[in-house]
Amino acid sequence: MPTPKPVHVVYRTCRFAEMLDWYAQVFGSEVVYQNPALAFITHDDEHHRFAFADLNVIAPGVDPEDRGRVGVDHVAYDCPSMRELLEAYDDLKARGIAPYWCVNHGMSASLYYADPDGNQLEFSVDCFASKAECTAYFKGDAIGENPVGVEFDPDEWLEKLRGGMAEAKLLKIDRKAPASPIRGKLMEMTDG
């Protein structure tokens, strides 16, 4: 991956309100977007540093003490450009390492991988030129229409970039496209 920088952590929790309050007090974080199932918070110029998935909504009946379900969902890393991220994807794919989910969230576009132990990692690129524009996306109406995002084919995107398409044009979310289901550990919990 091209010089990834840690950018955010997503937690699965049965203590949604308590978690938001704790992180607000400890980090001085503010909520940039919240619905009944998800919340995104930040404490600096990054559009979000933490996100929380409320298992009471997503997977009702989960025991709050079940450490197999409650805890870190994934750790995210910011990459410098979509072209570099997709070139790394192409190289990893040739070595038998492929993402399980490719999705444009609207404020960022991401490739999600699972390591050999099943730990989930997100590698993403911001969809806007500035962090302020990404944060504005969180605070606007568009995210409420589709807080998960739209899936994309990384091979198709890489071909378009290699063909000369501007990255900004590629990263603009298609708000008319169908919303992606949540993939990875959260999806596994709702299927079981």
Side-chain angles (χ1 to χ4, degrees):
M1 284 297 155
T3 61
K5 296 178 184 172
V7 67
H8 71 257
V9 178
V10 177
Y11 293 102
R12 298 181 302 266
T13 183
C14 292
R15 296 177 178 93
F16 194 63
E18 292 171 64
M19 290 287 278
L20 292 176
D21 181 60
W22 192 91
Y23 278 81
Q25 291 186 55
V26 171
F27 287 90
S29 296
E30 69 168 313
V31 173
V32 291
Y33 176 76
Q34 181 175 350
N35 68 26
L38 301 168
F40 299 86
I41 66 174
T42 193
H43 54 267
D44 59 14
D45 63 346
E46 186 65 41
H47 44 82
H48 68 292
R49 287 292 184 185
F50 300 99
F52 303 89
D54 188 346
L55 294 178
N56 296 310
V57 174
I58 295 170
V62 168
D63 178 352
E65 303 307 319
D66 181 349
R67 290 290 162 237
R69 293 177 172 235
V70 173
V72 174
D73 184 74
H74 69 270
V75 177
Y77 298 87
D78 195 18
C79 295
S81 74
M82 197 57 164
R83 175 73 184 258
E84 290 174 88
L85 177 58
L86 291 175
E87 292 290 357
Y89 149 82
D90 197 45
D91 180 57
L92 290 171
K93 184 177 75 167
R95 295 189 234 171
I97 300 172
Y100 65 83
W101 192 26
C102 304
V103 61
N104 184 342
H105 293 297
M107 85 300 298
S108 62
S110 305
L111 303 180
Y112 289 79
Y113 289 83
D115 72 14
D117 278 342
N119 298 303
Q120 300 177 128
L121 298 93
E122 173 187 6
F123 296 93
S124 67
V125 173
D126 285 343
C127 292
F128 296 97
S130 72
K131 297 292 183 186
E133 290 172 283
C134 292
T135 301
Y137 181 87
F138 263 117
K139 293 181 176 184
D141 294 333
I143 194 166
E145 296 168 12
N146 180 356
V148 176
V150 176
E151 292 186 7
F152 66 88
D153 179 332
D155 292 308
E156 180 183 306
W157 276 30
L158 182 55
E159 184 178 322
K160 287 180 179 181
L161 288 172
R162 286 175 175 167
M165 179 180 272
E167 194 165 303
K169 182 176 180 180
L170 186 68
L171 291 171
K172 185 171 174 55
I173 193 167
D174 179 358
R175 291 175 57 183
K176 294 179 182 168
S180 170
I182 294 174
R183 306 265 185 223
K185 298 284 185 194
L186 282 174
M187 179 175 264
E188 291 170 18
M189 283 186 226
T190 61
D191 289 345

Short mmCIF file of all heavy atoms in Angstrom, two decimals, residues 44-77:
data_model
loop_
_atom_site.label_atom_id
_atom_site.label_comp_id
_atom_site.label_asym_id
_atom_site.label_seq_id
_atom_site.Cartn_x
_atom_site.Cartn_y
_atom_site.Cartn_z
N ASP A 44 -10.38 16.75 15.27
CA ASP A 44 -9.41 17.59 14.57
C ASP A 44 -9.94 17.85 13.16
O ASP A 44 -11.14 17.75 12.93
CB ASP A 44 -8.01 16.96 14.57
CG ASP A 44 -7.96 15.58 13.92
OD1 ASP A 44 -8.92 15.19 13.21
OD2 ASP A 44 -6.95 14.88 14.11
N ASP A 45 -9.05 18.18 12.22
CA ASP A 45 -9.52 18.52 10.87
C ASP A 45 -9.84 17.30 10.01
O ASP A 45 -10.34 17.44 8.90
CB ASP A 45 -8.51 19.43 10.16
CG ASP A 45 -7.16 18.76 9.93
OD1 ASP A 45 -6.88 17.71 10.55
OD2 ASP A 45 -6.37 19.30 9.13
N GLU A 46 -9.59 16.09 10.50
CA GLU A 46 -9.97 14.87 9.78
C GLU A 46 -11.49 14.73 9.82
O GLU A 46 -12.11 15.03 10.84
CB GLU A 46 -9.30 13.65 10.43
CG GLU A 46 -9.51 12.36 9.68
CD GLU A 46 -8.88 12.34 8.30
OE1 GLU A 46 -7.74 12.83 8.14
OE2 GLU A 46 -9.53 11.85 7.36
N HIS A 47 -12.11 14.29 8.71
CA HIS A 47 -13.57 14.23 8.68
C HIS A 47 -14.16 13.26 9.69
O HIS A 47 -15.24 13.47 10.19
CB HIS A 47 -14.11 13.95 7.28
CG HIS A 47 -13.41 12.89 6.52
ND1 HIS A 47 -13.67 11.56 6.69
CD2 HIS A 47 -12.43 12.97 5.59
CE1 HIS A 47 -12.89 10.85 5.88
NE2 HIS A 47 -12.12 11.69 5.20
N HIS A 48 -13.45 12.18 10.02
CA HIS A 48 -13.82 11.35 11.18
C HIS A 48 -12.62 10.56 11.66
O HIS A 48 -11.83 10.09 10.86
CB HIS A 48 -15.04 10.46 10.89
CG HIS A 48 -14.84 9.36 9.90
ND1 HIS A 48 -14.64 9.56 8.55
CD2 HIS A 48 -14.84 8.01 10.08
CE1 HIS A 48 -14.52 8.40 7.94
NE2 HIS A 48 -14.63 7.43 8.84
N ARG A 49 -12.51 10.47 12.97
CA ARG A 49 -11.42 9.71 13.60
C ARG A 49 -11.94 8.41 14.19
O ARG A 49 -11.20 7.45 14.33
CB ARG A 49 -10.75 10.53 14.71
CG ARG A 49 -9.89 11.65 14.19
CD ARG A 49 -8.68 11.10 13.49
NE ARG A 49 -7.80 12.18 13.06
CZ ARG A 49 -6.72 11.96 12.34
NH1 ARG A 49 -6.39 10.75 11.97
NH2 ARG A 49 -5.97 12.97 11.97
N PHE A 50 -13.22 8.40 14.59
CA PHE A 50 -13.85 7.21 15.14
C PHE A 50 -15.23 7.09 14.53
O PHE A 50 -15.88 8.09 14.22
CB PHE A 50 -14.01 7.30 16.67
CG PHE A 50 -12.72 7.46 17.41
CD1 PHE A 50 -12.30 8.71 17.85
CD2 PHE A 50 -11.91 6.36 17.67
CE1 PHE A 50 -11.11 8.87 18.54
CE2 PHE A 50 -10.71 6.51 18.35
CZ PHE A 50 -10.31 7.76 18.79
N ALA A 51 -15.69 5.84 14.40
CA ALA A 51 -17.07 5.58 14.01
C ALA A 51 -17.57 4.46 14.91
O ALA A 51 -16.80 3.62 15.39
CB ALA A 51 -17.16 5.19 12.54
N PHE A 52 -18.88 4.46 15.14
CA PHE A 52 -19.49 3.48 16.02
C PHE A 52 -20.71 2.88 15.33
O PHE A 52 -21.53 3.60 14.78
CB PHE A 52 -19.92 4.15 17.33
CG PHE A 52 -18.77 4.82 18.03
CD1 PHE A 52 -18.44 6.14 17.75
CD2 PHE A 52 -18.00 4.11 18.94
CE1 PHE A 52 -17.36 6.75 18.37
CE2 PHE A 52 -16.91 4.72 19.56
CZ PHE A 52 -16.59 6.03 19.28
N ALA A 53 -20.79 1.56 15.38
CA ALA A 53 -21.95 0.83 14.85
C ALA A 53 -22.73 0.29 16.04
O ALA A 53 -22.19 -0.46 16.86
CB ALA A 53 -21.50 -0.30 13.95
N ASP A 54 -23.99 0.68 16.17
CA ASP A 54 -24.82 0.26 17.30
C ASP A 54 -25.38 -1.13 17.04
O ASP A 54 -26.28 -1.32 16.22
CB ASP A 54 -25.96 1.26 17.52
CG ASP A 54 -26.74 0.99 18.79
OD1 ASP A 54 -26.60 -0.11 19.37
OD2 ASP A 54 -27.52 1.88 19.19
N LEU A 55 -24.83 -2.12 17.72
CA LEU A 55 -25.26 -3.51 17.52
C LEU A 55 -26.70 -3.72 17.97
O LEU A 55 -27.35 -4.65 17.49
CB LEU A 55 -24.32 -4.46 18.26
CG LEU A 55 -22.90 -4.52 17.72
CD1 LEU A 55 -22.04 -5.46 18.54
CD2 LEU A 55 -22.88 -4.91 16.25
N ASN A 56 -27.22 -2.87 18.85
CA ASN A 56 -28.63 -2.99 19.25
C ASN A 56 -29.55 -2.76 18.06
O ASN A 56 -30.66 -3.28 18.03
CB ASN A 56 -28.96 -2.00 20.37
CG ASN A 56 -28.18 -2.30 21.64
OD1 ASN A 56 -28.15 -3.44 22.10
ND2 ASN A 56 -27.53 -1.29 22.19
N VAL A 57 -29.09 -2.01 17.07
CA VAL A 57 -29.87 -1.75 15.85
C VAL A 57 -29.47 -2.73 14.75
O VAL A 57 -30.32 -3.31 14.07
CB VAL A 57 -29.65 -0.29 15.37
CG1 VAL A 57 -30.34 -0.04 14.04
CG2 VAL A 57 -30.13 0.69 16.43
N ILE A 58 -28.17 -2.91 14.55
CA ILE A 58 -27.66 -3.72 13.44
C ILE A 58 -27.81 -5.22 13.68
O ILE A 58 -28.14 -5.97 12.77
CB ILE A 58 -26.19 -3.36 13.18
CG1 ILE A 58 -26.10 -1.91 12.68
CG2 ILE A 58 -25.56 -4.30 12.16
CD1 ILE A 58 -24.71 -1.35 12.61
N ALA A 59 -27.58 -5.66 14.90
CA ALA A 59 -27.65 -7.10 15.24
C ALA A 59 -28.28 -7.24 16.63
O ALA A 59 -27.59 -7.56 17.60
CB ALA A 59 -26.27 -7.73 15.19
N PRO A 60 -29.58 -6.96 16.74
CA PRO A 60 -30.23 -7.01 18.06
C PRO A 60 -30.01 -8.35 18.75
O PRO A 60 -29.95 -9.40 18.13
CB PRO A 60 -31.72 -6.82 17.73
CG PRO A 60 -31.75 -6.20 16.38
CD PRO A 60 -30.51 -6.69 15.67
N GLY A 61 -29.87 -8.27 20.07
CA GLY A 61 -29.69 -9.49 20.85
C GLY A 61 -28.25 -9.84 21.16
O GLY A 61 -27.99 -10.79 21.89
N VAL A 62 -27.29 -9.09 20.62
CA VAL A 62 -25.89 -9.35 20.92
C VAL A 62 -25.63 -9.03 22.39
O VAL A 62 -26.06 -8.00 22.90
CB VAL A 62 -24.96 -8.50 20.02
CG1 VAL A 62 -23.52 -8.54 20.51
CG2 VAL A 62 -25.03 -8.97 18.58
N ASP A 63 -24.96 -9.93 23.07
CA ASP A 63 -24.59 -9.73 24.46
C ASP A 63 -23.51 -8.64 24.53
O ASP A 63 -22.47 -8.75 23.87
CB ASP A 63 -24.05 -11.05 25.02
CG ASP A 63 -23.58 -10.96 26.46
OD1 ASP A 63 -23.51 -9.84 27.03
OD2 ASP A 63 -23.27 -12.03 27.03
N PRO A 64 -23.74 -7.57 25.31
CA PRO A 64 -22.75 -6.50 25.40
C PRO A 64 -21.36 -6.95 25.88
O PRO A 64 -20.38 -6.25 25.70
CB PRO A 64 -23.36 -5.52 26.41
CG PRO A 64 -24.79 -5.84 26.45
CD PRO A 64 -24.93 -7.29 26.10
N GLU A 65 -21.29 -8.13 26.49
CA GLU A 65 -20.01 -8.66 26.97
C GLU A 65 -19.36 -9.61 25.98
O GLU A 65 -18.28 -10.14 26.24
CB GLU A 65 -20.21 -9.36 28.32
CG GLU A 65 -20.84 -8.48 29.39
CD GLU A 65 -20.11 -7.16 29.62
OE1 GLU A 65 -18.87 -7.14 29.63
OE2 GLU A 65 -20.80 -6.13 29.77
N ASP A 66 -19.99 -9.87 24.83
CA ASP A 66 -19.47 -10.80 23.82
C ASP A 66 -18.32 -10.14 23.07
O ASP A 66 -18.52 -9.41 22.12
CB ASP A 66 -20.59 -11.20 22.85
CG ASP A 66 -20.13 -12.19 21.79
OD1 ASP A 66 -18.92 -12.43 21.64
OD2 ASP A 66 -21.02 -12.72 21.08
N ARG A 67 -17.10 -10.39 23.50
CA ARG A 67 -15.92 -9.77 22.91
C ARG A 67 -15.66 -10.23 21.48
O ARG A 67 -14.86 -9.66 20.77
CB ARG A 67 -14.69 -10.03 23.78
CG ARG A 67 -14.76 -9.27 25.09
CD ARG A 67 -14.59 -7.81 24.76
NE ARG A 67 -15.00 -6.87 25.75
CZ ARG A 67 -15.89 -5.91 25.52
NH1 ARG A 67 -16.53 -5.82 24.42
NH2 ARG A 67 -16.15 -5.01 26.42
N GLY A 68 -16.32 -11.29 21.03
CA GLY A 68 -16.20 -11.70 19.64
C GLY A 68 -16.98 -10.81 18.70
O GLY A 68 -16.71 -10.75 17.51
N ARG A 69 -17.98 -10.13 19.24
CA ARG A 69 -18.82 -9.26 18.42
C ARG A 69 -18.65 -7.79 18.75
O ARG A 69 -18.77 -6.94 17.89
CB ARG A 69 -20.28 -9.67 18.56
CG ARG A 69 -20.52 -11.04 17.96
CD ARG A 69 -21.95 -11.47 18.16
NE ARG A 69 -22.17 -12.69 17.39
CZ ARG A 69 -23.14 -12.82 16.50
NH1 ARG A 69 -23.98 -11.85 16.27
NH2 ARG A 69 -23.27 -13.95 15.85
N VAL A 70 -18.44 -7.50 20.02
CA VAL A 70 -18.25 -6.12 20.47
C VAL A 70 -16.76 -5.81 20.40
O VAL A 70 -15.94 -6.62 20.82
CB VAL A 70 -18.77 -5.95 21.91
CG1 VAL A 70 -18.43 -4.57 22.45
CG2 VAL A 70 -20.28 -6.19 21.97
N GLY A 71 -16.40 -4.67 19.87
CA GLY A 71 -15.00 -4.27 19.83
C GLY A 71 -14.63 -3.63 18.51
O GLY A 71 -15.48 -3.12 17.78
N VAL A 72 -13.36 -3.70 18.18
CA VAL A 72 -12.87 -3.06 16.95
C VAL A 72 -13.45 -3.78 15.73
O VAL A 72 -13.37 -5.00 15.62
CB VAL A 72 -11.33 -3.09 16.89
CG1 VAL A 72 -10.83 -2.56 15.54
CG2 VAL A 72 -10.73 -2.27 18.02
N ASP A 73 -14.05 -3.01 14.84
CA ASP A 73 -14.53 -3.58 13.58
C ASP A 73 -13.41 -3.52 12.55
O ASP A 73 -13.09 -4.51 11.94
CB ASP A 73 -15.76 -2.82 13.05
CG ASP A 73 -16.31 -3.48 11.80
OD1 ASP A 73 -16.95 -4.55 11.93
OD2 ASP A 73 -16.06 -2.95 10.69
N HIS A 74 -12.83 -2.33 12.36
CA HIS A 74 -11.69 -2.21 11.45
C HIS A 74 -10.87 -0.97 11.76
O HIS A 74 -11.34 -0.07 12.44
CB HIS A 74 -12.14 -2.21 9.98
CG HIS A 74 -12.90 -0.99 9.56
ND1 HIS A 74 -14.26 -0.89 9.64
CD2 HIS A 74 -12.48 0.19 9.04
CE1 HIS A 74 -14.66 0.29 9.19
NE2 HIS A 74 -13.59 0.98 8.82
N VAL A 75 -9.65 -0.99 11.28
CA VAL A 75 -8.75 0.15 11.38
C VAL A 75 -8.56 0.67 9.96
O VAL A 75 -8.35 -0.11 9.03
CB VAL A 75 -7.39 -0.24 12.00
CG1 VAL A 75 -6.44 0.94 12.04
CG2 VAL A 75 -7.60 -0.82 13.40
N ALA A 76 -8.63 1.99 9.80
CA ALA A 76 -8.54 2.60 8.48
C ALA A 76 -7.24 3.35 8.29
O ALA A 76 -6.72 3.96 9.23
CB ALA A 76 -9.72 3.54 8.26
N TYR A 77 -6.77 3.33 7.05
CA TYR A 77 -5.55 4.01 6.66
C TYR A 77 -5.84 4.89 5.46
O TYR A 77 -6.51 4.47 4.51
CB TYR A 77 -4.45 3.00 6.30
CG TYR A 77 -4.07 2.13 7.47
CD1 TYR A 77 -4.76 0.95 7.74
CD2 TYR A 77 -3.04 2.50 8.33
CE1 TYR A 77 -4.42 0.16 8.83
CE2 TYR A 77 -2.71 1.72 9.42
CZ TYR A 77 -3.40 0.55 9.66
OH TYR A 77 -3.08 -0.23 10.74
#
